[in-house]
């Protein structure tokens, strides 16, 4: 039976991955060895399948090297430290990574099988052993608009993202909640007083002493119009990933590049990323055809009617949090002309944007090996 190494299984993405693997019976297909960077020797979690009872040291290359498959949600620094050592030790197993460290490496495939199963299968045939989940907003975008990408209908796309606090990590999401609590506490007496003016309440709320260890800035009652490091041309690295990862996932060569740009912002939402798109189509298409291409591409996408009630009840983070559904709405032609399309999407970035492609890739690899 394949020996699966699990690293980083207690974090935000890792815990969601564990839940999904348990729900889908993935642990029954492998024997599991759990690793830890801080608790080696302690009891490992119990799963519905064969597993080792004790946590192993996540930096023990010999122990990692005994695994035929490794899924890591430990982060990019861990990948940069451990993966080269594994290869130097002669490891020939499959590496499946949630981090961005190897995404753009030539020996690595970015996985999103409802969109690029053919790319994944071709890579396996060629002997590729490294696979990485994609950027959360890119993965959610491709699932939402996959039908238009598959049809080759998109000339360029501009994305304005509204990214949840949990996308930055567990500590960040908790900090947002703490900030919310501090803001409320600072104005509670005024809220209880019907004579308090709204402007006075708002002004007082800005005086609240907020914890900022994780974000470095106030997110509660505000937003952060920059995510990740600065790169060239005034872009953030999160924005740079849009075009780079989209085209790699789709397997497009440079002469077929789909141009993707935009601005990424962090908003005061706990979970689920939203995106507003301006899309230039290669040619005019009827809205009925556009909607059909979108909703027929995969089983998880839902087209939300472009009206006020449906948008407010179905096209929100609260409506999809904790589910695999990808909602696409606000679809309409823009006043710039019939080739210009607007859309708004929302999806759970901890599921399709992170954990789900990893567990599905493990199954694809196991199936490939069984048929060799």
């Amino acid at each position: 039976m394949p020996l699966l190494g699990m690293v980083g299984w207690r974090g935000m993405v890792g815990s969601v991955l564990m839940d999904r693997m348990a729900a889908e019976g993935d642990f029954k297909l492998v024997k599991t060895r759990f690793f830890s960077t801080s608790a080696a020797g302690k009891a490992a979690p119990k799963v519905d399948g064969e597993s080792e009872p004790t946590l192993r040291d996540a930096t023990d290359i010999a122990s990692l090297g005994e695994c035929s498959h490794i899924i890591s949600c430990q982060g990019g620094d861990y990948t940069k430290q451990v993966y080269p050592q594994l290869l130097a030790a002669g490891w020939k197993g499959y590496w499946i990574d949630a981090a961005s460290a190897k995404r753009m490496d030539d020996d690595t495939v970015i996985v999103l099988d409802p969109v690029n199963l053919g790319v994944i299968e071709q890579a396996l045939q060629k002997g590729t052993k490294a696979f990485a989940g994609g950027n959360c907003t890119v993965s959610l975008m491709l699932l939402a608009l996959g039908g238009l990408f598959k049809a080759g209908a998109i000339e360029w796309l501009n994305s304005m993202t509204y990214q949840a606090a949990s996308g930055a990590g567990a500590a960040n999401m908790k900090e947002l909640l703490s900030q919310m609590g501090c803001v409320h506490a600072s104005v509670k007496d005024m809220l209880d007083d019907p004579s308090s003016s709204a402007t006075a309440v708002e002004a007082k709320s800005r005086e609240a002493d907020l914890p900022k260890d994780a974000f470095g800035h106030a997110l509660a009652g505000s937003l952060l119009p920059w995510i990740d490091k600065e790169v060239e041309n005034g872009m953030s690295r999160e924005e740079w990933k849009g075009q780079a990862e989209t085209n790699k996932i789709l397997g497009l060569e440079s002469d077929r590049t789909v141009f993707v740009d935009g601005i990424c912002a962090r908003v005061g939402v706990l979970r689920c990323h939203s995106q507003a798109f301006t899309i230039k189509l290669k040619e005019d298409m009827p809205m009925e055809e556009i909607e059909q291409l979108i909703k027929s591409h995969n089983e998880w996408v839902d087209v939300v009617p472009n009206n006020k009630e449906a948008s407010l009840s179905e096209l929100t983070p609260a409506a999809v949090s904790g589910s695999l559904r990808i909602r696409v709405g606000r679809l309409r032609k823009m006043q710039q002309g019939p080739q210009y399309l607007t859309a708004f999407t929302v999806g759970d970035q901890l599921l399709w944007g992170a954990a789900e492609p990893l567990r599905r890739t493990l199954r694809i690899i196991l199936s490939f090996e069984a048929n060799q």
Side-chain angles (χ1 to χ4, degrees):
M1 179 173 284
L3 178 59
L4 171 66
M6 292 287 294
V7 189
W9 47 274
R10 288 187 296 188
M12 181 78 76
V13 173
S15 60
V16 173
L17 175 62
M18 289 280 287
D19 289 344
R20 286 294 299 143
M21 292 180 70
E24 297 297 332
D26 298 334
F27 288 116
K28 297 177 182 179
L29 305 177
V30 294
K31 178 180 179 180
T32 307
R33 173 179 292 177
F34 289 95
F35 291 85
S36 173
T37 58
S38 60
K42 294 184 179 180
K46 295 180 180 179
V47 296
D48 188 13
E50 186 179 356
S51 64
E52 296 183 356
T54 305
L55 293 172
R56 301 288 190 104
D57 183 351
T59 61
D60 185 341
I61 300 302
S63 185
L64 287 164
E66 293 171 353
C67 299
S68 55
H69 308 72
I70 296 174
I71 297 180
S72 173
C73 301
Q74 188 63 36
D77 289 341
Y78 176 80
T79 297
K80 293 174 184 177
Q81 173 192 349
V82 167
Y83 188 71
Q85 293 183 56
L86 276 171
L87 295 186
W91 187 62
K92 303 295 183 183
Y94 289 93
W95 180 269
I96 305 171
D97 201 340
S100 63
K102 285 191 59 59
R103 283 181 196 155
M104 298 308 296
D105 290 354
D106 291 339
D107 68 345
T108 303
V109 170
I110 305 177
V111 292
L112 189 64
D113 68 278
V115 174
N116 72 339
L117 179 59
V119 173
I120 297 169
E121 291 176 335
Q122 289 177 15
L124 287 169
Q125 291 289 347
K126 293 178 181 178
T128 297
K129 295 294 183 72
F131 299 86
N135 171 262
C136 47
T137 52
V138 171
S139 295
L140 293 171
M141 173 190 72
L142 287 173
L143 280 165
L145 304 177
L148 296 178
F149 280 101
K150 185 177 181 180
I154 296 175
E155 180 177 327
W156 56 257
L157 175 151
N158 185 277
S159 171
M160 312 299 282
T161 76
Y162 309 87
Q163 298 180 222
S166 56
N172 297 73
M173 188 191 76
K174 291 178 180 178
E175 183 172 275
L176 171 60
L177 286 168
S178 296
Q179 289 185 358
M180 290 175 172
C182 290
V183 171
H184 179 264
S186 72
V187 296
K188 184 180 185 305
D189 291 345
M190 299 179 73
L191 292 174
D192 292 339
D193 181 0
S195 66
S196 298
S197 71
T199 54
V201 171
E202 187 277 329
K204 180 67 174 177
S205 73
R206 285 187 269 120
E207 299 176 5
D209 184 16
L210 305 182
K212 300 175 184 177
D213 292 339
F215 280 115
H217 302 274
L219 180 57
S222 187
L223 60 79
L224 303 176
W226 195 286
I227 299 176
D228 211 334
K229 302 173 184 177
E230 294 185 41
V231 294
E232 66 276 4
N233 300 326
M235 300 176 77
S236 71
R237 187 167 181 267
E238 187 79 356
E239 293 154 3
W240 171 86
K241 292 173 186 176
Q243 179 166 310
E245 291 193 22
T246 293
N247 286 278
K248 184 170 184 180
I249 289 170
L250 295 174
L252 299 178
E253 301 297 334
S254 58
D255 61 340
R256 298 170 58 209
T257 295
V258 175
F259 295 100
V260 179
D261 211 325
I263 293 176
C264 297
R266 189 78 65 192
V267 295
V269 172
L270 297 180
R271 181 167 173 169
C272 297
H273 291 348
S274 303
Q275 299 181 74
F277 296 105
T278 298
I279 303 166
K280 171 69 181 303
L281 301 172
K282 292 181 179 178
E283 59 184 36
D284 184 17
M285 300 171 65
M287 285 303 302
E288 294 80 6
E289 182 180 353
I290 290 170
E291 292 183 6
Q292 183 60 33
L293 284 171
I294 290 173
K295 66 185 179 183
S296 65
H297 177 260
N298 64 73
E299 62 184 277
W300 300 277
V301 68
D302 300 315
V303 172
V304 176
N306 187 29
N307 61 61
K308 181 178 180 179
E309 179 56 33
S311 297
L312 294 179
S313 61
E314 301 175 37
L315 197 60
T316 67
V320 300
S321 183
S323 85
L324 293 168
R325 305 314 300 176
I326 306 292
R327 300 277 169 82
V328 185
R330 302 310 318 274
L331 287 163
R332 63 176 176 83
K333 295 296 184 70
M334 300 180 70
Q335 297 186 68
Q336 285 88 335
Q339 290 176 250
Y340 294 87
L341 177 71
T342 186
F344 189 91
T345 71
V346 61
D348 192 324
Q349 93 285 354
L350 293 175
L351 286 166
W352 274 119
E356 192 67 8
L358 305 184
R359 58 156 295 272
R360 291 173 65 89
T361 299
L362 174 64
R363 284 199 169 236
I364 292 168
I365 293 171
L366 293 174
S367 177
F368 169 76
E369 291 178 298
N371 291 320
Q372 293 305 295

